[in-house]
């Protein structure tokens, strides 16, 4: 067994061991959901970064960078701008001190908003968790040179993520994410410079790239930029895992400081992953060939980071980069199973079925949901071709339904319960409806400026979704009576402590 295999199989065992140890400290459902609201800034920064840097970045974003070049950063740029807005919102979110995003939606709007918000989160987040399973399968397949098939590896990854999440919830996640963040950073800091200088330096790498790889738009147009940047911008501002981790912070000041650390970490890691993939395009151009046969089939370009770790680096550096890939997959999968399971146990069961349920009942219900959503995620994997496609659809669903309603809650006093509910329903209905209708043959292609755009595709579906949800939010709010001050006032106050 070589060092690469040891890294891929050994690192998850270390994380599971930490999870088992930390699970003994779970005394209540609140501990499981928000880690007792006592997470210090350093751990909060680590877990926020690891929540965002998932298979969408490791595979979808890296694959896009391999195929498109530096223009891939538009995909990441949307999230960076979103984090600047989150910096402003974080202390307000923590001051309200809820447990979930649907908690916020009901407080600002009504119970219908809570239910619809929960539906949107479950649909999107189980999809995001699912493509972590696929990413883990690719890692296992590549490191074992095909001895473990991508499908078998996917099942192994799913079982590992489900068990780890079910052990201790948020407590286990924040406990290991600082370590995960360190491993990810080390893998990038060692891997990128070595890859560049081992292959002739910056000049030779640039000369070997297609000309458009070094252009700002990569051969695309502004509507394409909007299509790939808008989903990440909207997702991060509606990202329930991020809000739930703000609720885990010790105080409002800690939440605000954590966003600064998250911004710096996310910009560094996403830019570095894109650069590694672009260098990989110069070193391994054969992965761009659609006829290229690889262990994982047609998505070969999406595995460029793994390919580099296994074939382009010294074994020690490759082992660290593969361990970083494992950390990315496991950490993101954990969060995106924990959040929807929390929504079921708290936002549906406790709120509407049994308000007096015992801590033990809620805890075990949530753990049961984690297993159920793991199974649902495996089914969803059969409905999409690539990680990027899954990512964009999931991001668009959250961005069109939850984000406008959440931002309005904190930024627009005039928004009404009816407007918020119409917005969430319109966002869900538009994304799901357009997707289903397109599969039944309805054409959503429009020609703009001589270029045809399919607004049912993952690249552009967010645009009609957001237009519909925003229009409903504004129109319905203006046509209905304004909310009383006690309804909106808590959303416009920061914690009075010094930040």
């Amino acid at each position: 067994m070589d060092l690469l295999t040891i890294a891929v199989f050994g690192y998850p065992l270390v994380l599971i061991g930490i999870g088992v140890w930390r699970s003994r400290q779970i005394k209540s459902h609140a501990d499981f959901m928000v880690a007792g609201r006592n997470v210090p800034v350093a751990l909060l920064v680590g877990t926020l970064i690891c929540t965002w840097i998932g298979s969408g970045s490791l595979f979808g974003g890296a694959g896009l960078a391999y195929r498109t070049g530096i223009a891939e950063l538009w995909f990441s740029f949307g999230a960076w701008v979103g984090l600047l807005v989150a910096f402003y919102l974080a202390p307000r979110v923590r001051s309200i001190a809820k447990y979930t995003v649907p908690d916020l939606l009901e407080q600002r709007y009504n119970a219908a908003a809570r239910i619809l918000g929960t539906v949107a989160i479950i649909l999107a987040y189980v999809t995001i968790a699912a493509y972590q399973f696929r990413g883990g399968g690719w890692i296992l397949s590549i490191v074992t040179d095909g001895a473990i098939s991508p499908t078998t590896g996917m099942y192994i990854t799913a079982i590992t993520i489900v068990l780890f999440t079910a052990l201790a919830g948020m407590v286990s996640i924040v406990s290991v994410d600082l370590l995960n963040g360190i491993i990810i950073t080390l893998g990038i800091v060692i891997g990128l410079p070595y890859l560049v200088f081992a292959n002739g330096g910056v000049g030779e790498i640039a000369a070997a790239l297609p000309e458009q790889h070094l252009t700002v738009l990569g051969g695309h147009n502004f509507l394409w930029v909007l299509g790939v940047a808008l989903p990440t911008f909207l997702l991060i501002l509606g990202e329930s895992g991020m809000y739930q981790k703000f609720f885990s912070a010790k105080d409002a000041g800690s939440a605000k400081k954590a966003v600064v650390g998250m911004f710096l970490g996310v910009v560094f890691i996403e830019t570095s992953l894109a650069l590694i993939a672009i260098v990989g395009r110069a070193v391994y151009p054969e992965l761009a060939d659609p006829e290229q046969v690889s262990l994982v089939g047609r998505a070969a370009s999406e595995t460029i980071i793994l390919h580099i770790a296994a074939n382009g680096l010294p074994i020690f550096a490759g082992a660290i980069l593969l361990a970083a890939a494992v950390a990315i997959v496991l950490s993101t999968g954990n969060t995106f199973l924990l959040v929807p399971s929390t929504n079921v146990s708290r936002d549906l069961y406790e709120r509407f079925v049994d308000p007096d349920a015992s801590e033990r009942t809620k805890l075990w219900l949530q753990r049961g949901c984690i297993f159920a959503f793991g199974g649902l995620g495996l089914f969803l994997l059969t409905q999409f071709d690539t990680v990027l496609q899954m990512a964009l659809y999931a991001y668009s669903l959250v961005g069109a339904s939850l984000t406008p309603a959440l931002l309005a809650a904190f930024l627009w006093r005039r928004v009404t319960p009816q407007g918020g509910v119409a917005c969430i329903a319109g966002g869900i209905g538009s994304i799901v409806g357009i997707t289903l209708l397109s599969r039944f043959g309805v054409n959503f292609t429009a020609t703009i400026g001589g270029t045809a755009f399919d607004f049912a595709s993952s690249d552009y579906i967010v645009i009609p979704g957001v237009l519909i949800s925003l229009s409903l939010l504004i129109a319905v709010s203006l046509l209905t009576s304004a909310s009383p001050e006690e309804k909106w006032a808590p959303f416009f106050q920061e914690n009075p402590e010094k930040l």
Side-chain angles (χ1 to χ4, degrees), residues 53-61 131-136 328-329 332 387:
I53 304 294
S55 288
S57 302
L58 182 66
F59 300 109
Y131 61 72
Q132 314 307 316
F133 303 163
R134 176 179 283 177
I328 287 170
V329 166
T332 308
V387 165

Side-chain angles (χ1 to χ4, degrees), residues 103 106 110-112 114-115 343-355 362:
D103 276 338
E106 180 168 15
N110 55 29
R114 178 191 283 270
I115 294 172
N343 295 144
V344 172
S345 63
R346 175 172 174 79
D347 297 307
L348 296 181
Y349 184 79
E350 183 180 355
R351 174 65 179 83
F352 297 106
V353 179
D354 186 4
K362 291 183 288 185

Side-chain angles (χ1 to χ4, degrees), residues 152-419:
T152 301
M154 179 179 70
Y155 288 122
I156 293 172
T157 304
I159 291 169
T160 302
I161 290 175
V162 166
L163 288 176
F164 183 74
T165 309
L167 279 173
M170 188 67 77
V171 169
S172 62
I173 290 172
V174 300
S175 299
V176 302
D177 274 353
L178 184 59
L179 176 61
N180 285 340
I182 293 170
I183 293 294
I184 293 167
T185 304
L186 274 178
I188 290 170
V189 168
I190 295 173
L192 178 57
Y194 179 89
L195 190 66
V196 170
F197 292 110
N199 291 280
V202 174
E204 288 199 24
I205 294 294
L209 290 170
E211 183 178 347
Q212 290 183 333
H213 270 53
L214 299 177
T215 63
V216 174
L217 294 179
H220 299 286
N221 54 35
F222 178 74
L223 201 58
W224 176 85
V225 169
L226 190 64
V228 297
L230 195 56
T232 53
F233 170 77
L234 293 170
L235 173 67
I236 204 160
L237 287 173
E239 211 286 89
S240 294
M242 183 175 71
Y243 284 89
Q244 197 163 328
K245 287 173 180 178
F246 287 162
F247 297 142
S248 302
K250 290 168 55 177
D251 49 50
S254 296
K256 193 169 186 178
K257 293 171 186 174
V259 176
V260 177
M262 181 186 183
F263 176 82
L264 296 174
V266 165
V267 170
F268 171 75
I269 292 172
E270 288 193 325
T271 302
S272 298
L273 286 174
L275 291 175
I276 291 174
I278 292 169
V279 174
R281 175 66 175 81
V283 179
Y284 301 106
E286 66 273 10
L287 295 184
D289 183 357
E291 302 300 320
Q292 167 74 13
V293 177
S294 72
L295 293 174
V296 295
R298 57 185 152 185
S301 63
E302 290 197 330
T303 66
I304 181 61
I305 302 293
L306 306 185
H307 191 85
I308 289 169
N311 303 287
L313 299 176
I315 190 165
F316 177 72
I320 294 176
L321 190 57
L322 280 174
V326 171
I328 287 170
V329 166
L330 291 182
S331 178
T332 308
N334 294 337
T335 295
F336 283 86
L337 283 181
L338 179 67
V339 169
S341 65
T342 300
N343 295 144
V344 172
S345 63
R346 175 172 174 79
D347 297 307
L348 296 181
Y349 184 79
E350 183 180 355
R351 174 65 179 83
F352 297 106
V353 179
D354 186 4
D356 299 318
S358 68
E359 293 292 307
R360 179 179 176 84
T361 297
K362 291 183 288 185
L363 189 57
W364 284 104
L365 173 64
Q366 181 162 3
R367 284 175 165 152
C369 288
I370 290 169
F371 282 91
F373 289 149
L376 177 60
L378 290 172
F379 166 74
L380 289 175
L381 284 170
T382 66
Q383 306 302 303
F384 298 91
D385 293 332
T386 67
V387 165
L388 182 63
Q389 186 185 53
M390 291 183 76
L392 288 174
Y393 272 114
Y395 295 0
S396 298
L397 181 59
V398 172
S401 57
L402 290 181
T403 302
L406 279 170
L407 289 181
F410 286 98
L411 301 175
W412 190 28
R413 290 173 170 83
R414 184 61 180 81
V415 70
T416 65
Q418 297 92 331

